[in-house]
Amino acid sequence: MDNFSPEPNPSLLNSSNDPAHTRALKALSQIGLMASEMTDLRKTLAATLDLILETLEVENASIMLLDSESNSLRITAARGLPDDALGLVIPVGKGIAGTVAATGSPILIDDIEKNPEFSASGRSSYRTKSALCVPMRLKSTLMGVISVNNKRTGEIFGENDLQLLSAIAPQIGALIENAGLHERSERKVRELGALFDLARAAESITSLEKFLDECVQIITSATSVETCSIMLLDTRGRVLRIAAYTGTYLDTFKDCLIPLGQGISGKVGETGEPSILNDISASPASDRQDLDSAFRSALSVPMKIQGRVIGVVNVNNSLEKRPFSQDDLRLVTALASQMASSIEKLRLYASMEQKIRELSTVNSVVTKVNSSINLRTVLDMVIDLLVETLGADSGSLMLYNNDTGTLEIEVSRGFSSGPPITTFPLGFGVAGSVAKTRKPALVEDSSISGAYAMAPGERPLSMICAPMVAKDKLLGAICLERETSGGTSFDTSNLELLVTLANAAATAVDNANLYRDLLNIYFETIQSLAAAIEAKDAYTHGHSRRVTEYSLALAGIMDCDHNTLDTIRHAALLHDIGKIGINESILLKPGKLTDEEFSTIRSHPVMGSKILESIDFLATVRAQLKHHHERWDGRGYPDGLKGDQIPPGARIIAVADTFDAMTSTRSYRSALDWNVARDEIVRCSGSQFDPKVVDAFLSLGEEFINAVIKMQNPTNPPGELAARLVTNNPDLACLVDAARETI
Ligand SMILES: [Fe+2]
């Protein structure tokens, strides 16, 4: 006990017969015992007060410690006083205690009512009759005062009481100092431990979220507070968001956003200066927010990087009135400083990781979109990848229509009932402006910029939009949106990524268009050859077109997707192309065919497949064409495939082909009534035909079948009749629309 230096009053200690003497000795002895045990300041204060109450037989006692910075006394511990007395600040020089602190001399008042100087200084909720207040010094330095009021016996304080309290006051001061020293050294150890833990967390944790969670635990433990929160400033530097916290009642506030300048944290974030409020309820209401009012005391410290605030650390107590000290401020400031640099490093790390992910996405987009020549598939891939990669809530890809001079939304995601506007004239809205200027745009917040017309009730959005340009030709634009309520607007790095991907998408769209044009030219050439063959045979004239209508209607009813429909259309139109190589004398022979002739006829699927062999992207078409004479039971040709081995498109074409053959006049027989033909199809379900296709076939109505049978010299796109029949398959309508454009 370095500071324990008893200075007993000799006169009191020598009066061996005085009961006060006995009490003083007993008290000093107890203090001596406590000195070896007490290392906790609070426990020391409590035990000391109990000792004073017992020794002096008083109703109440309080210990007020001096805060030399503010030159005031604070009631640090009390017994018998109202609860709200604790923490009360008394300026040095004011009242009894303030006067004792100022003069260094004790004050003994017999009847406070008769003492005009101090009669008004007592608290109204407690009636003080007599008072005794002595200074508490340690090696001539004033530490505070000890104040007692009203003897329980009803007697007034006497000289002995004064001597007694004065005798034990320095011992109590020494006790408090020792406990304080112990506590300070423990605090130092805790502080160093917290800084060490923080450094270790910064080294071992690579996720910002996890690091901040660890930080609030470290700070809470180091400062012994009830609640700690770390708020980060958003990218626009306007709003603080709680990124990590401890304390269950903070659940209510975890998602709230604190605008810079508002409330305690908002002001700390704005000014970059820390704040200590030990009684929040006493601060002006305009300086508080709901969040602040949940607490009793608050210490808030800014986190800065090179003078720039990046967030705020808050520690709070809600129940206990332990005031935050300058020591607390120093500790939290040190931790906040270390955290700030760690956060910056983690952000850089996350940014680098994001860039790597983006690089991988760019590569993936380019690879994927270039692997498909189907425009619709390309667009679907592009929008899906962009919405996912850039964390958009919604997105739309628009293609530029040269004829109308407008952007039209081709694919969109995230709109519950479709995009509110689907056509944008050049210059209209963000997308129209981007397309017109061919410059990308970033709208951080639609409610602020005014660049984006908001519909009534629409929530504010952040938007990025980039033009799609290939070979200096405007192809369209891509727009992505995020709701800003989550505090996560798009930033320039998001826009850069979108621009890169929009360029890749534009190239892919251009390629898909080019492929489509090439395909159409090639396809039309073959089709015209096929038509020329059919034209030679009055009996098969229009057969391929009719088979196409039936096939597409069946595929549409069976919910085939766009790609399958597209290949079935090609395969149905070309299914008999192989007959080009078969002599007309066999093809048009009215009588019974010889085995050899029959074998020649049966070679047409393989020959057709060979004709298309050199065209890679028609591989699926070729397979359907080759197997359109296979049977469900495996007894067909050329390969005797069975059941699911047969390509689905080929199974569909088989039904369509057979039905049209039966309902057409052939060189060897006249046309069957279509009801008879339909019965035949049903009879062969499960043997020649896939039962599922036959089921779909039974859905074809009389009106549709009659329309197909009567179809003469069609100029409409293949599949139009089917699209009219099957209205609930948008892919079919889309396919026919696309075909119409190329006619
Ligand atoms: Fe055929």
Side-chain angles (χ1 to χ4, degrees):
M1 300 301 292
D2 300 340
N3 293 301
F4 191 69
S5 52
E7 297 171 26
N9 180 304
S11 64
L12 186 69
L13 298 180
N14 290 336
S15 311
S16 57
N17 295 327
D18 190 332
H21 165 248
T22 310
R23 290 204 306 274
L25 282 178
K26 191 180 169 191
L28 287 169
S29 153
Q30 277 183 285
I31 292 170
L33 285 173
M34 284 158 66
S36 61
E37 294 168 2
M38 290 292 171
T39 52
D40 181 296
L41 181 58
R42 270 192 236 194
K43 283 184 186 164
T44 304
L45 288 168
T48 307
L49 283 172
D50 287 340
L51 182 72
I52 293 171
L53 285 182
E54 186 192 331
T55 308
L56 286 156
E57 298 177 307
V58 289
E59 288 181 359
N60 67 57
S62 58
I63 294 174
M64 306 173 202
L65 294 181
L66 178 70
D67 176 12
S68 48
E69 278 183 33
S70 60
N71 198 31
S72 60
L73 295 166
R74 177 187 290 275
I75 299 183
T76 314
R79 281 277 194 276
L81 288 180
D83 285 346
D84 60 352
L86 209 62
L88 200 72
V89 174
I90 299 152
V92 169
K94 290 277 174 69
I96 300 170
T99 305
V100 170
T103 61
S105 301
I107 292 179
L108 191 158
I109 299 171
D110 297 343
D111 187 345
I112 210 158
E113 294 297 328
K114 291 178 184 167
N115 195 318
E117 192 184 349
F118 300 123
S119 59
S121 64
R123 293 186 62 78
S124 58
S125 58
Y126 181 80
R127 183 169 160 70
T128 301
K129 284 177 283 197
S130 57
L132 173 58
C133 186
V134 300
M136 186 168 60
R137 284 198 199 84
L138 187 69
K139 292 178 182 169
S140 77
T141 304
L142 184 72
M143 290 179 66
V145 302
I146 302 174
S147 173
V148 293
N149 294 318
N150 303 344
K151 292 198 65 126
R152 287 201 296 273
T153 56
E155 296 167 16
I156 58 169
F157 286 114
E159 188 60 28
N160 272 350
D161 297 310
L162 173 62
Q163 291 291 339
L164 182 61
L165 193 57
S166 298
I168 61 175
Q171 324 307 318
I172 292 172
L175 262 184
I176 293 171
E177 176 65 8
N178 273 329
L181 266 179
H182 187 84
E183 205 163 276
R184 280 196 290 280
S185 77
E186 273 198 334
R187 173 188 285 274
K188 220 46 186 172
V189 170
R190 272 208 315 273
E191 287 177 11
L192 287 171
L195 285 164
F196 175 75
D197 288 345
L198 209 59
R200 201 175 48 182
E203 269 180 25
S204 62
I205 301 175
T206 51
S207 144
L208 179 59
E209 201 177 33
K210 284 184 184 161
F211 173 69
L212 295 179
D213 281 342
E214 187 70 23
C215 286
V216 288
Q217 299 298 339
I218 292 169
I219 296 169
T220 305
S221 165
T223 54
S224 304
V225 291
E226 292 163 16
T227 306
C228 170
S229 63
I230 298 172
M231 297 173 172
L232 294 181
L233 199 57
D234 72 342
T235 49
R236 287 176 291 170
R238 292 180 192 152
V239 175
L240 288 165
R241 183 177 55 82
I242 296 179
Y245 66 93
T246 54
T248 50
Y249 51 84
L250 249 180
D251 282 342
T252 324
F253 302 106
K254 65 181 178 186
D255 293 325
C256 76
L257 302 171
I258 313 290
L260 220 55
Q262 289 186 23
I264 299 169
S265 325
K267 283 206 164 54
V268 169
E270 186 180 56
T271 61
E273 296 296 328
S275 155
I276 292 184
L277 280 176
N278 279 323
D279 187 359
I280 291 176
S281 61
S283 65
S286 57
D287 289 350
R288 289 182 261 143
Q289 287 206 318
D290 289 348
L291 174 61
D292 302 327
S293 301
F295 305 112
R296 193 155 182 183
S297 54
L299 167 59
S300 296
V301 173
M303 287 189 291
K304 295 184 194 171
I305 291 288
Q306 294 170 340
R308 174 176 55 88
V309 174
I310 63 161
V312 175
V313 179
N314 305 292
V315 287
N316 302 88
N317 286 317
S318 62
L319 307 170
E320 197 183 342
K321 204 175 180 180
R322 183 173 80 80
F324 286 115
S325 64
Q326 291 300 313
D327 285 338
D328 292 317
L329 176 62
R330 274 190 290 274
L331 171 60
V332 179
T333 303
L335 293 171
S337 166
Q338 188 168 331
M339 269 162 44
S341 61
S342 299
I343 289 170
E344 194 72 353
K345 275 183 203 157
L346 285 172
R347 279 180 166 165
L348 284 173
Y349 181 80
S351 169
M352 188 182 71
E353 276 198 324
Q354 174 68 12
K355 284 288 169 206
I356 291 169
R357 273 201 300 278
E358 288 176 5
L359 192 66
S360 153
T361 304
V362 170
N363 183 47
S364 163
V365 169
V366 173
T367 309
K368 280 188 179 174
V369 296
N370 285 336
S371 69
S372 175
I373 48 117
N374 182 296
L375 182 60
R376 180 66 187 238
T377 309
V378 168
L379 300 185
D380 278 332
M381 279 181 184
V382 168
I383 197 73
D384 283 339
L385 275 161
L386 286 177
V387 166
E388 190 192 336
T389 309
L390 285 158
D393 293 314
S394 60
S396 45
L397 191 155
M398 295 151 245
L399 291 185
Y400 181 61
N401 184 328
N402 259 317
D403 298 334
T404 58
T406 57
L407 288 172
E408 287 159 15
I409 291 186
E410 284 295 316
V411 286
S412 64
R413 297 290 185 271
F415 296 98
S416 52
S417 51
I421 306 172
T422 54
T423 306
F424 298 83
L426 283 194
F428 175 75
V430 176
S433 303
V434 162
K436 188 177 180 184
T437 59
R438 299 191 180 188
K439 286 181 182 165
L442 164 65
V443 179
E444 286 189 359
D445 189 336
S446 58
S447 63
I448 295 170
S449 74
Y452 175 72
M454 288 172 67
E458 189 180 24
R459 292 209 269 181
L461 295 172
S462 175
M463 181 193 279
I464 45 177
C465 189
M468 288 167 63
V469 177
K471 296 172 192 157
D472 206 31
K473 191 176 154 195
L474 177 68
L475 296 180
I478 303 174
C479 281
L480 300 178
E481 295 93 20
R482 265 187 208 166
E483 290 190 8
T484 53
S485 53
T488 48
S489 297
F490 285 120
D491 56 25
T492 48
S493 74
N494 298 138
L495 184 64
E496 282 168 18
L497 178 60
L498 178 64
V499 169
T500 306
L501 295 179
N503 284 335
T507 306
V509 168
D510 193 42
N511 283 342
N513 283 336
L514 206 62
Y515 270 119
R516 189 188 64 187
D517 292 347
L518 282 172
L519 180 66
N520 282 332
I521 291 167
Y522 189 86
F523 187 68
E524 281 163 21
T525 308
I526 299 172
Q527 205 185 324
S528 62
L529 282 171
I533 302 291
E534 282 185 2
K536 288 182 186 174
D537 177 3
Y539 295 112
T540 57
H541 184 65
H543 170 69
S544 296
R545 284 298 304 271
R546 292 192 297 275
V547 169
T548 305
E549 292 296 345
Y550 292 133
S551 298
L552 285 178
L554 293 172
I557 290 166
M558 293 173 78
D559 283 334
C560 291
D561 62 18
H562 185 277
N563 280 345
T564 313
L565 289 166
D566 197 28
T567 51
I568 287 176
R569 183 172 67 110
H570 285 83
L573 277 169
L574 301 176
H575 74 281
D576 276 343
I577 188 83
K579 286 183 179 171
I580 284 176
I582 297 173
N583 196 304
E584 287 175 28
S585 62
I586 301 173
L587 280 179
L588 303 177
K589 185 175 177 182
K592 198 167 183 265
L593 297 174
T594 64
D595 285 351
E596 192 181 345
E597 287 167 342
F598 200 61
S599 171
T600 306
I601 290 275
R602 283 163 61 114
S603 70
H604 78 272
V606 173
M607 288 183 73
S609 171
K610 279 189 177 161
I611 290 171
L612 304 179
E613 206 168 44
S614 59
I615 310 163
D616 286 345
F617 58 77
L618 287 182
T620 317
V621 172
R622 208 164 58 238
Q624 293 180 7
L625 183 153
K626 183 179 176 185
H627 296 293
H628 75 277
H629 282 291
E630 303 284 2
R631 287 172 54 108
W632 184 249
D633 57 13
R635 289 167 47 235
Y637 63 91
D639 294 336
L641 300 184
K642 188 176 181 182
D644 290 341
Q645 293 174 330
I646 309 165
R651 287 181 242 154
I652 288 172
I653 293 169
V655 172
D657 187 22
T658 309
F659 182 72
D660 186 67
M662 287 192 285
T663 52
S664 308
T665 301
R666 291 289 162 103
S667 55
Y668 45 89
R669 59 146 173 78
S670 57
L672 295 177
D673 178 84
W674 69 265
N675 281 306
V676 175
R678 188 180 59 182
D679 290 347
E680 183 63 11
I681 295 286
V682 172
R683 191 181 67 78
C684 296
S685 175
S687 54
Q688 186 173 352
F689 305 120
D690 177 353
K692 284 183 186 160
V693 181
V694 176
D695 284 348
F697 174 76
L698 292 174
S699 306
L700 303 179
E702 182 179 348
E703 194 183 336
F704 170 74
I705 292 173
N706 279 329
V708 178
I709 289 172
K710 288 175 189 161
M711 195 169 65
Q712 292 292 330
N713 299 321
T715 53
N716 54 332
E720 190 173 53
L721 292 176
R724 256 190 261 161
L725 173 74
V726 186
T727 52
N728 60 350
N729 188 325
D731 283 329
L732 183 56
C734 176
L735 185 78
V736 174
D737 280 349
R740 186 178 288 114
E741 283 173 22
T742 61
I743 282 179

